[in-house]
Amino acid sequence: MAQKPLPGSERHPMRGARAVGRTAGDQRLEATVVVRRRDPEGLRAHVADLAQGRPRAPMTHDAFAAAYGAAPEDLERVAAFAQTHGLAVVQTHAARRSVVLSGSVAQFEAAFGVELSDFEFDGGSYRGRTGALHVPEDLNKVIEAVLGLDNRPAAKPHFRIRQDAAAAPTAFTPIEVAELYGFPAGDGVGQTVALIELGGGYKPADLQTYFKGLGVTAPKVTALSVDHAKNAPTGSADGPDGEVMLDIEVVGAVAPGAAIGVYFAPNTDAGFLDAITTAAHDQANKPSVISISWGGPESSWTAQAMTSFDSAFQDAAVLGITVLVASGDNGSTDGLSDGAQHVDFPASSPHATGCGGTRLTAKGAVLEAEQVWNDGADGGAGGGGVSATFALPTWQAGLAATAADGAATPLARRGVPDVAGDADPDSGYEVRVDGQDTVIGGTSAVAPLWAGLIARINAASGARAGFINPALYKSPQALHDITVGDNGAFEAAKGWDACTGLGTPNGAAVAAALKA
């Protein structure tokens, strides 16, 4: 049967990478096939209601799978297609709409009409491809994405270790930051916060020492394996361990009564997506909040990957799960040097809450001032700007992005971030990583900080906050508006801006806004 290009699957080599030869045909790999959902119009209507602030009770997992999961016959067609090419079906999940396939490079090349090559770049190597994937004509509308054939690193963690902790003037425990932001009382009991991690790990002894030092009971932390990845500490705070420990310690300090599920996955587009969908559809642990501190410039992603991630966040919204994502630590360029402005994905998904960064100044227990975090190219700055991919959400209609020269341009597409929090390493968080006490900043700290806040709010109200963006944009007074500073091309302004979004939380007011 004739094959057709799979829309949105086009790939280009990583910047600076060079091909060094074809990938060995007998090399084994796994890939994730994303299948269309049944009743996509029904899901769009459901999500539109949420975006308009219309009350919709969170769906149960079983009801969601029956209404909006993959149809059994579509899953069977993909399995039959795989069998004809000698590919094994490792896992099928209707609610996640995913089929995980296993086989050799040669089998995948024949199945999807692609050639895989080995690439090298400064800092590593990967198995990759160029051009589009191809699928049989009768599956062209059934298969929405095929991820994992290209295993380049999909994302980077968004944290910054303070280089001279002794010389810097200020650092805070997560508990102190929560108090400065007026978080409502509570410990998140009964909630589960999911952390998505694409490498590294944690050491339980470090967690016990850290929480004992804070005077709080250590939360229940469970490592959950996705696509064979595991809790695997590297022993280096500068690596992914710094991200994993920061996330756990911020959430655990702010909401020690909440359970924390750490979903470890490979740092590939397939691993990243599988971690998100596994967490969202986890009927055993039932997370009510997902915190993500990894990402990369929109331009580094395929269209099929971005569509699949955004669709997964829509699943989460319908299930009543709040998704919080760090907006990046490289200002308005997102670390690229092409002369253009870029936003970080998945923070730019309109169905996630993008979390930007500030520098916080306090006197005792009183928050004195905040401004946009911007320590320059080497020191980092909060990510933010305007998406090149996603349409303008209804709840951002009428807003404008203020450029560094003061000119305000009405938003034509999704603006990032939505909210902010303390992120500057010079006003960073006291944490413990691989046996060492240190101070870490970055927007990576902001997503778990907000996750802890939402866990407290959910526990106190007895209900899931779910998709919080529409409610927050209707109640901007629930946040501290940041009006000083810039992140490069954009500057802070009254109201929403492309540096700190609506601002930093006034915790009690945020709780009231989400209950309204």
Side-chain angles (χ1 to χ4, degrees):
M1 181 176 292
Q3 289 190 318
K4 295 183 64 176
L6 183 62
S9 66
E10 296 79 10
R11 264 293 197 194
H12 304 283
M14 282 180 62
R15 188 170 303 186
R18 62 185 184 90
V20 295
R22 289 287 300 278
T23 304
D26 60 355
Q27 185 181 120
R28 307 293 295 182
L29 63 107
E30 291 184 359
T32 297
V33 178
V34 181
V35 178
R36 67 184 176 185
R37 70 169 81 249
R38 48 182 158 188
D39 194 15
E41 293 298 326
L43 182 96
R44 276 193 284 271
H46 194 134
V47 173
D49 280 348
L50 296 176
Q52 294 290 345
R54 302 187 186 104
R56 296 286 298 259
M59 291 187 74
T60 66
H61 288 281
D62 289 342
F64 180 94
Y68 303 132
E73 55 268 27
D74 283 346
L75 297 173
E76 290 167 3
R77 290 169 71 183
V78 172
F81 160 74
Q83 185 176 15
T84 63
H85 291 278
L87 298 170
V89 175
V90 175
Q91 184 186 71
T92 298
H93 198 287
R96 292 171 52 202
R97 299 184 293 116
S98 66
V99 181
V100 179
L101 303 178
S102 173
S104 70
V105 163
Q107 289 168 327
F108 276 108
E109 287 181 329
F112 294 103
V114 66
E115 290 186 356
L116 299 179
S117 298
D118 295 328
F119 290 81
E120 293 181 350
F121 64 97
D122 185 19
S125 61
Y126 69 95
R127 179 187 65 243
R129 60 182 179 82
T130 57
L133 298 172
H134 297 77
V135 297
E137 192 167 3
D138 67 329
L139 289 178
N140 193 256
K141 294 186 183 303
V142 174
I143 295 176
E144 293 188 345
V146 179
L147 306 176
L149 299 182
D150 185 310
N151 70 346
R152 72 186 67 188
K156 293 181 179 180
H158 294 319
F159 74 96
R160 299 266 178 155
I161 295 179
R162 194 158 75 188
Q163 296 305 309
D164 190 356
T170 308
F172 302 96
T173 69
I175 295 172
E176 289 170 337
V177 176
E179 291 172 348
L180 290 169
Y181 286 143
F183 280 22
D187 64 0
V189 64
Q191 303 299 304
T192 297
V193 176
L195 302 177
I196 305 300
E197 305 295 354
L198 306 179
Y202 64 89
K203 298 176 180 178
D206 276 342
L207 298 181
Q208 291 293 332
T209 300
Y210 179 74
F211 291 113
K212 183 178 179 180
L214 291 181
V216 300
T217 302
K220 177 186 176 184
V221 180
T222 304
L224 299 156
S225 175
V226 178
D227 297 347
H228 314 294
K230 296 180 180 179
N231 176 25
T234 66
S236 172
D238 290 324
D241 289 3
E243 183 59 67
V244 176
M245 297 293 282
L246 172 69
D247 289 345
I248 295 172
E249 289 170 359
V250 170
V251 171
V254 174
I260 299 174
V262 189
Y263 295 76
F264 287 101
N267 189 3
T268 65
D269 54 7
F272 201 167
L273 176 68
D274 289 346
I276 293 167
T277 58
T278 297
H281 295 282
D282 185 346
Q283 295 198 55
N285 297 288
K286 296 183 172 61
S288 60
V289 188
I290 297 175
S291 177
I292 302 172
S293 295
W294 300 70
E298 283 185 330
S299 59
S300 68
W301 297 84
T302 60
Q304 64 169 0
M306 287 194 282
T307 298
S308 297
F309 277 59
D310 183 58
S311 186
F313 295 149
Q314 293 179 51
D315 290 4
V318 171
L319 291 165
I321 301 169
T322 306
V323 180
L324 300 149
V325 187
S327 70
D329 294 351
N330 291 293
S332 61
T333 67
D334 208 25
L336 299 184
S337 55
D338 58 3
Q341 309 308 313
H342 299 270
V343 293
D344 207 74
F345 180 82
S348 65
S349 164
H351 299 98
T353 300
C355 300
T358 66
R359 178 172 185 166
L360 186 153
T361 303
K363 185 174 183 179
V366 178
L367 195 162
E368 286 193 317
E370 279 187 280
Q371 63 186 60
V372 180
W373 167 40
N374 188 347
D375 291 335
D378 294 330
V386 182
S387 172
T389 301
F390 294 101
L392 181 70
T394 56
W395 31 267
Q396 284 190 326
L399 300 180
T402 302
D405 62 5
T409 302
L411 284 180
R413 290 183 177 274
R414 157 76 159 138
V416 183
D418 301 298
V419 299
D422 179 33
D424 191 325
D426 284 343
S427 59
Y429 299 72
E430 297 175 354
V431 294
R432 184 175 180 83
V433 183
D434 293 328
Q436 299 295 319
D437 295 328
T438 188
V439 176
I440 295 182
T443 55
S444 276
V446 185
L449 180 74
W450 271 84
L453 170 60
I454 299 302
R456 283 195 188 188
I457 291 171
N458 286 353
S461 68
R464 293 185 169 200
F467 184 38
I468 64 175
N469 290 5
L472 294 182
Y473 279 83
K474 285 181 179 179
S475 303
Q477 70 280 0
L479 296 100
H480 303 288
D481 191 9
I482 310 303
T483 59
V484 177
D486 68 81
N487 67 353
F490 301 99
E491 72 175 14
K494 186 176 181 180
W496 181 90
D497 57 61
C499 301
T500 58
L502 297 169
T504 58
N506 177 345
V510 168
L514 297 181
K515 294 174 187 175

